[in-house]
Every structure is written in C-alpha cells, then in structure tokens.
Amino acid sequence: MSGNNLNIIFAGTPEFAAQHLSHLVEQGYNIVACYTQPDRPAGRGKKLQPSAVKQVALAHDIPVCQPPSLKTDDALTELNAWNADLMIVVAYGLLLPKAALDAPKLGCINVHGSILPKWRGAAPIQRAVLEGDAETGVTIMQMDIGLDTGDMLLVETCPIESTDTSGSVYEKLQNIGPSALIKAVDAIAENNVTPIKQNDDEATYAHKLTKQEAEINWLEPAAVIERKIRGYQPWPVAYANLSGNVVKIWQAAVSPENSGKNAGDVISADKSGISIQTGDGVISIQSLQPQGKKPMSAGDFVNGRLEWVAPGTSLLTQAD
C-alpha cells in the first residue's frame, strides 16, 4: 500500500510545519484534517492571526481543528471521528496524551530537528549551534508518551558550517525534512520500516531559549561567544552592555591574536572591527545594532559611537 492511500491527520503550527504540510499536499497525500494552535494576536493591531499551517490547510480546503487541548473528552471524540490511519506531528506545540497517540491506526509520527537522542526538547537547532556540533538533521520517530523518546524510523543529516546561524540551519532542515517525511510515510504504509530504539544514556536535552541567556559574558571563551552570536539568531539575538547601552551583536569573528589584556577590555575599535579580550582569546565584532537603529557595520558604529567602545574601556566593569 502506498502512503497516498493513507488517511492522514497533520498537526503543526509554524512555517517549518507548513512546509511539510505543503509538500504532502503537493505529492498527493490524503490529509483528512489539520490540527493547529488557536489563532494568536499578532502585529501592531494585535489582530488574531491564523498559523502558517492553518493558512496552507484553508488554501487546500482541508478541515482545520484548533482545540486548546487534546486531553478533553470532546477533543478526543473529534480526533477519533476522523478515522485516521496515521497522524503526523511537526512543531504542533500541544502535548498529545496517550489516548490521542493511540487514536490513529498506525499511531503518530513526529519530525524532530535533531539527530536523536541528542537534543530532545524545545530548541534542538539552537542548542546544536551553541554547542558547536559539526552536524545535525531531522529524525522521523514514532511518538510515545515521553518527550522525543520514541523509536526512530528514519534519520537525515546535514552539516553545520562555521558560518551557520540557527536561522540558516533551520532553513536546511526545512529543506530536508519534507522529503524525509515522505520516505517514512511510504515505508510505514508498505510495512517496510524497522524502528530503532533510542539510547537514553546518550540523550541530551534542548531547553527552551530565554532572552536572558543571550547576554554576552566576556569571561567566556571567544569561540563560545561567537557561537552564541550565531546560535541566538534570529531570536533572541545576542546582546551586550556597552557603556550603559544595550546593543545587539549580529556578527563576529574569533581573532587569532592574544592581547594579554583583561577579559572585557576593548583592544581596538575601527572599521575592521571592535576587538575585545575574552576569557580565552579575542573576539572581533563586525556587525551590531544599537536600540532603535538598524544593524550596522563596526565601522559605522565606531564613527558615531566611539565613546561606547573606546580602546582601553573595560566592558566587564561596566556590566558589573
């Protein structure tokens, strides 16, 4: 039996999920219903906005369900009424109780943005960049009641380059995920899949990001700070306190020089970059953004705000 013959429920919310839904629809898979988060207020007018998945579903006349929870009797009754063979979950944002996982005949599968069991949890892409991993990927897994603990059905990998941000890695996974999902769905339909249990001893957890953790600590090594600058893009964006002013940092490079200065000391500030001694090595900031302004080059920043980063200034003392 081909995957095209399955009755499929799709559950997801953001653009990443919408890309997977679009691919399924384009390939002729039978999506009987889409589940997505309730509409949320967005924009200056705070008007209710449909999710990216809802927009795709409506464009293809797919019924949309938006229960605030799948734990109620009414929600479970509705879920069972679709008589689905399979449920595909991609960044849905709601927990699925066991009764929901058991509703489709073939259960529920999930597209997760890491090579499991590494980086289970909410922010796998960002944590991989922050940690300096050489590669990541997507894992298609059979869902169980644990958090990203289900048996692995298929894994596709891709490299993380030294210039990648979390945003660029997200785009890579958005490109490889849909085709990996199609392979897995077809294999399930043909009963040609061998589930592989995860090794819990090798598991790591990708905690949800916070704005606070994006603050740069000049006591950390330059390589760690540089990864933070890439890892916290596009959100929440790494930031630092420069002479009492909060500035977002968009691009930097680790310099091979060793200044002999104290951590947090500004070594130089010119059009080539703003060089700062860290706990281990020197980092050169190339692009940054004062509050209320657009991102700018280090040269443009220094031309207008040299007093914020004058050579010899101790940023560590300011932070304290």
Side-chain angles (χ1 to χ4, degrees), residues 22-308:
S22 294
H23 197 68
L24 287 164
V25 173
E26 290 166 4
Q27 297 300 313
Y29 288 80
N30 183 32
I31 312 299
V32 296
C34 277
Y35 277 69
T36 190
Q37 290 267 338
D39 295 357
R40 306 291 189 200
R44 291 184 177 180
K46 296 298 181 183
K47 293 182 179 179
L48 290 178
Q49 297 291 330
S51 71
V53 162
K54 182 176 180 178
Q55 293 178 51
V56 172
L58 293 178
H60 292 91
D61 297 321
I62 301 171
V64 175
C65 301
Q66 296 176 276
S69 168
L70 287 175
K71 296 180 179 180
T72 66
D73 290 342
D74 286 346
L76 290 171
T77 297
E78 182 179 45
L79 185 65
N80 279 287
W82 295 111
N83 196 32
D85 296 303
L86 182 70
M87 184 170 180
I88 297 170
V89 181
V90 186
Y92 179 29
L94 286 184
L95 291 175
L96 273 65
K98 189 175 187 305
L101 294 173
D102 293 341
K105 299 178 182 66
L106 299 171
C108 302
I109 63 173
N110 174 250
V111 180
H112 184 74
S114 79
I115 304 171
L116 290 171
K118 193 168 190 181
W119 303 129
R120 296 171 177 172
I125 296 171
Q126 296 91 334
R127 297 301 173 194
V129 176
L130 291 167
E131 192 67 18
D133 292 354
E135 67 173 358
T136 186
V138 293
T139 301
I140 314 297
M141 67 172 179
Q142 191 80 38
M143 295 178 70
D144 61 17
I145 58 172
L147 179 61
D148 302 326
T149 56
D151 291 352
M152 299 180 293
L153 307 179
L154 186 147
V155 177
E156 293 280 358
T157 65
C158 69
I160 299 178
E161 308 293 347
S162 60
T163 55
D164 270 326
T165 65
S166 289
S168 63
V169 174
Y170 180 97
E171 290 178 2
K172 288 181 179 181
L173 299 191
Q174 194 167 260
N175 288 333
I176 69 174
S179 59
L181 175 61
I182 293 290
K183 291 179 188 176
V185 171
D186 287 348
I188 290 169
E190 295 163 5
N191 196 25
N192 186 30
V193 63
T194 304
I196 299 174
K197 290 193 176 298
Q198 295 186 42
N199 184 345
D200 292 340
D201 293 337
E202 296 177 354
T204 56
Y205 185 66
H207 292 276
K208 185 178 180 180
L209 297 181
T210 66
K211 289 184 178 180
Q212 291 73 22
E213 69 181 278
E215 182 174 9
I216 290 174
N217 178 0
W218 303 112
L219 292 172
E220 291 185 317
V224 171
I225 294 173
E226 191 273 338
R227 292 200 302 267
K228 276 190 170 184
I229 292 167
R230 291 186 290 111
Y232 292 124
Q233 291 183 43
W235 190 91
V237 185
Y239 64 94
N241 187 309
L242 306 180
S243 298
N245 301 278
V246 175
V247 178
K248 292 180 179 180
I249 311 296
W250 287 96
Q251 186 178 1
V254 177
S255 173
E257 66 183 299
N258 188 357
S259 72
K261 302 289 186 180
N262 295 322
D265 286 354
V266 180
I267 302 164
S268 62
D270 52 41
K271 64 181 181 180
S272 66
I274 301 167
S275 293
I276 302 166
Q277 177 66 43
T278 70
D280 181 10
V282 173
I283 194 161
S284 176
I285 297 173
Q286 309 295 319
S287 176
L288 57 173
Q289 180 182 10
Q291 287 184 320
K293 303 293 183 180
K294 294 181 179 180
M296 62 184 68
S297 68
D300 288 343
F301 183 90
V302 169
N303 283 340
R305 300 168 178 81
L306 178 59
E307 68 276 11
W308 293 11

